[in-house]
Amino acid sequence: MTGTDLKLSSCAIAVHDLDEALAFYRDVLGFEVRDDLGSDGTRRVSVRPPAQPDVRIVLQAPCTDPGVPPAGRQSIEDLMTNGLLGCLGFLTDDCDATFEHIEAAGAEVMQEPINQPDGVRDCAFLDPSGNMLRFTQPRQAGLALASRQAHAARGHQAP
């Protein structure tokens, strides 16, 4: 699909406990709640990153999709138990500050901030249901941050 500008508009991730997941995405990551629809058995909540009003992330229990047979639901539950179900990737302009904020909130750390061979810096966490959240600081953002830090350090040096 060369020449096509594809952008994410919506995705769904399976969560064990909808209220616990909602608290994490809302209170720890600062996502805004768009919709909270349905009752206990079929409830779905959609959230979005505040800077991306067009992106919709739907949090739902595996049993809310009527097209998934019981055996499929069990497979999804098994993957969730092992932390192998979903993975969301986010860009950040300061990987270290993002890491400190989310770690301080008590999220399970998968990977502390490291520099990758391609020049990006990233870290990863698990949400309360075992979905991986990876935060990547693009190389240019890292260079800009280092430049600002160096500039600030020079401005505070004694003459």
Side-chain angles (χ1 to χ4, degrees), residues 54-71:
D54 295 335
V55 174
R56 180 175 171 227
I57 300 170
V58 179
L59 308 173
Q60 63 186 31
C63 63
T64 59
D65 186 343
V68 177

Side-chain angles (χ1 to χ4, degrees), residues 95-96 99 103 109-115 121-124:
C95 183
D96 296 302
F99 178 83
E103 182 185 38
V109 176
M110 280 194 70
Q111 174 193 302
E112 293 188 10
I114 61 170
N115 292 322
R121 186 163 178 80
D122 67 356
C123 61

Side-chain angles (χ1 to χ4, degrees), residues 4-19:
T4 303
D5 185 16
L6 299 175
K7 293 182 182 175
L8 176 68
S9 64
S10 180
C11 71
I13 59 172
V15 297
H16 288 297
D17 181 320
L18 197 51
D19 291 324

Side-chain angles (χ1 to χ4, degrees):
M1 297 186 45
T2 56
T4 303
D5 185 16
L6 299 175
K7 293 182 182 175
L8 176 68
S9 64
S10 180
C11 71
I13 59 172
V15 297
H16 288 297
D17 181 320
L18 197 51
D19 291 324
E20 181 181 42
L22 178 59
F24 178 80
Y25 285 89
R26 182 190 57 222
D27 301 338
V28 175
L29 298 182
F31 286 15
E32 299 169 355
V33 178
R34 291 184 60 174
D35 306 308
D36 190 341
L37 305 170
S39 60
D40 280 340
T42 61
R43 185 171 163 222
R44 296 175 183 208
V45 177
S46 66
V47 294
R48 69 176 182 197
Q52 295 176 298
D54 295 335
V55 174
R56 180 175 171 227
I57 300 170
V58 179
L59 308 173
Q60 63 186 31
C63 63
T64 59
D65 186 343
V68 177
R73 289 186 191 129
Q74 184 58 52
S75 294
I76 291 170
E77 285 292 335
D78 292 344
L79 290 170
M80 288 173 74
T81 300
N82 294 315
L84 301 171
L85 186 58
C87 178
L88 293 174
F90 301 96
L91 295 178
T92 179
D93 58 356
D94 189 339
C95 183
D96 296 302
T98 300
F99 178 83
E100 290 172 13
H101 169 75
I102 297 172
E103 182 185 38
E108 183 177 345
V109 176
M110 280 194 70
Q111 174 193 302
E112 293 188 10
I114 61 170
N115 292 322
Q116 298 292 349
D118 59 0
V120 302
R121 186 163 178 80
D122 67 356
C123 61
F125 293 90
L126 292 179
D127 76 2
S129 297
N131 294 295
M132 183 171 62
L133 306 174
R134 181 168 298 283
F135 296 88
T136 302
Q137 178 179 333
R139 185 170 187 199
Q140 293 302 324
L143 294 174
L145 178 63
S147 174
R148 285 194 305 270
Q149 289 172 340
H151 179 69
R154 284 192 302 273
H156 293 295
Q157 291 176 346

